[in-house]
Amino acid sequence: MAENLDEEAREPDEAAVPTPGRRSMRQAARPASRVTRAPRAERAVRTPRAPRTRGVVKPLRNVVILAMVGGLVATVALPAYAAWNPESEALTIEQVAAENAQSLVVASDVVTTDLSRSSYAATTAEEVATKKAAEAAAARAAAASKSRSTSSAAVLSSVDLSLVAPGSGEVRWPLDMSQIKIGRGLSGAHDGVDLLGSAGTPEFAAAAGTVRTATWFGGYGNGVIIDHVINGVTVSTLYGHMSQILVSPGQSVSAGQIIGLMGSTGNSTANHLHFEVRINGGLVDPMAWLYSNAG
């Protein structure tokens, strides 16, 4: 009995000693209802979540809205501000030019003209004034010439040019017409007739009279003016562009007397006699007067 008790008493001791086989058996003996945990490696693997986009889209949308509002404000406000210019800040063209030396401001009343290499337009006040003065002088000269031409036509229509019988010798041709060519005649800008010949050709007094002028005078160059009384009518004759004057002021001359030599002095481009005739102070056609009285 004692041996058996000793064996029974040792059995628990042997059972208390853990062995690999017993541990496995113990685990197998656990109740099936207990939930078994998954291995740690399996628990570590989780399904990735989708990125959070809602928190980024909302601020971006706010920024876009603010930008659009700012653009609308600028579109409306800037043109209105540019169009508004206080009267106290208004500047003239001269003030702009004075403040900015790099700006070229041209203020002129001159009309637009086509420019070429040989023509220039006035750009300063002085040049504009000079140009206007020249244009005004030209206009006055044209008006005077027109008036003179009109008065000459009136004289021609109202004055009898036949003062003496042709061929009587009281009125003569101022040149030997056999070697003379008739050039420019009486017109609005030309007060006489041009009789062209050679330099040094003698020139004669068209009628008896007294020399009023025998000197250089302006565009006529060397010239002579003779006053006549023909059949009770006052007549004056003018001889221009002489190369040499052969009479003196106050001298009495007879019809056909040499008074000078043909030349090209003054405003002249060729040798010729510029001949003018006035009756009672009115200009008449010299060729018509010569044909009516000298024959």
Side-chain angles (χ1 to χ4, degrees), residues 13 31 81 147 179 235 238:
D13 295 336
Y81 178 78
S147 176
Q179 302 295 326
V235 180
L238 182 148

Side-chain angles (χ1 to χ4, degrees), residues 86-288:
E87 184 177 357
S88 59
E89 297 180 0
L91 298 177
T92 63
I93 294 177
E94 291 77 7
Q95 290 172 333
V96 173
E99 293 179 0
N100 186 1
Q102 299 299 323
S103 298
L104 175 62
V105 179
V106 178
S108 173
D109 294 333
V110 180
V111 296
T112 304
T113 57
D114 295 331
L115 297 180
S116 63
R117 292 188 178 183
S118 60
S119 65
Y120 299 90
T123 56
T124 65
E126 292 77 8
E127 291 177 346
V128 171
T130 302
K131 186 176 180 66
K132 286 184 176 181
E135 292 176 351
R140 289 193 299 269
S145 177
K146 184 177 180 180
S147 176
R148 186 168 52 195
S149 177
T150 303
S151 63
S152 299
V155 169
L156 287 172
S157 62
S158 60
V159 174
D160 184 5
L161 300 179
S162 299
L163 303 180
V164 294
S168 63
E170 293 189 41
V171 175
R172 302 186 182 184
W173 287 86
L175 296 167
D176 180 0
M177 298 299 292
S178 62
Q179 302 295 326
I180 299 300
K181 293 182 179 180
I182 301 174
R184 186 180 182 185
L186 180 67
S187 64
H190 194 243
D191 292 342
V193 61
D194 291 339
L195 304 175
L196 289 70
S198 301
T201 299
E203 297 180 2
F204 312 110
T210 303
V211 177
R212 184 204 311 173
T213 301
T215 185
W216 178 286
F217 53 99
Y220 291 101
N222 290 323
V224 172
I225 298 177
I226 302 175
D227 293 326
H228 319 271
V229 177
I230 304 173
N231 199 17
V233 178
T234 301
V235 180
S236 65
T237 55
L238 182 148
Y239 313 77
H241 308 302
M242 290 181 177
S243 62
Q244 185 176 356
I245 297 174
L246 301 179
V247 292
S248 302
Q251 179 180 344
S252 296
V253 295
S254 58
Q257 181 178 334
I258 298 177
I259 58 175
L261 303 178
M262 182 180 292
S264 184
T265 57
N267 294 338
S268 173
T269 57
N271 293 303
H272 71 284
L273 164 63
H274 176 85
F275 183 66
E276 296 181 9
V277 177
R278 286 175 171 79
I279 297 178
N280 293 328
L283 186 67
V284 299
D285 186 348
M287 292 301 295

Side-chain angles (χ1 to χ4, degrees), residues 8-27:
E8 292 176 0
R10 286 195 297 270
E11 286 178 359
D13 295 336
E14 291 177 356
V17 177
T19 62
R22 290 181 180 181
R23 187 174 182 181
S24 300
M25 292 174 63
R26 195 179 298 148
Q27 291 176 354

